[in-house]
Amino acid sequence: MKSHEYEVSVTWTGDTGSGTSSYRAYERAHEVAAAGKPPIAGSADPAFRGDPSRWNPEEMLVASLSQCHMLWFLHLCAVEKIVVTGYEDRARGTMTETPDGGGRFAEVVLRPRTTLADPAQAGRAAELHERANELCFIANSVNFPVRHEPEFG
């Protein structure tokens, strides 16, 4: 069995001069980086005092699920000789807060809109969305449902 490792660095950049001396004393700003790639400006969700102009971990989780699904779907279509000419996903994740201040994702819904060179292949392409969902490494690693509602245009 093969294994793969992924190394990233997360560096907090939100010290405004007094560190974490109080809940309001620091920014949630940070950078996510990996060797040879541009950094991603991160923060907390605005509901938790984050900067809305930066990516938050919850968005990045939803994006990871969407990316993984898309990459599997495109691979399966290529193998099946289904030509995809356009793909856009408007994914949505729902996280609920718990009484103790924590939270967890309840579900993520992927809503890919796929354009096919031959629209008559939409039925088979829909089946490949099902298969992509089964194969996605990220979806197989989370403990909440990842649903998909594909559209074809």
Side-chain angles (χ1 to χ4, degrees), residues 8-93:
V8 300
S9 66
V10 176
T11 305
W12 176 51
T13 59
D15 182 2
T16 60
S18 60
T20 58
S21 60
S22 75
Y23 182 72
R24 296 181 184 275
Y26 66 97
E27 294 178 0
R28 278 57 177 175
H30 59 274
E31 287 192 349
V32 180
K37 298 176 184 165
I40 297 170
S43 187
D45 182 294
F48 307 106
R49 301 194 47 79
D51 181 343
S53 70
R54 290 173 167 251
W55 286 88
N56 65 57
E58 295 82 8
E59 290 169 325
M60 291 175 69
L61 176 61
V62 173
S64 293
L65 286 160
S66 178
Q67 287 175 280
C68 187
H69 181 89
M70 178 193 70
L71 293 168
W72 269 111
F73 176 75
L74 295 175
H75 167 77
L76 294 169
C77 285
V79 169
E80 294 273 334
K81 307 292 188 229
I82 296 174
V83 177
V84 175
T85 60
Y87 186 103
E88 180 182 355
D89 187 6
R90 293 178 290 95
R92 180 188 317 261

Side-chain angles (χ1 to χ4, degrees), residues 25 43-44 52 67 95 98 100 112 124 129 131 140 151:
S43 187
Q67 287 175 280
M95 186 190 75
T98 56
D100 64 357
R124 180 64 183 136
H129 273 297
R131 184 71 180 132
N140 285 323
E151 297 178 21

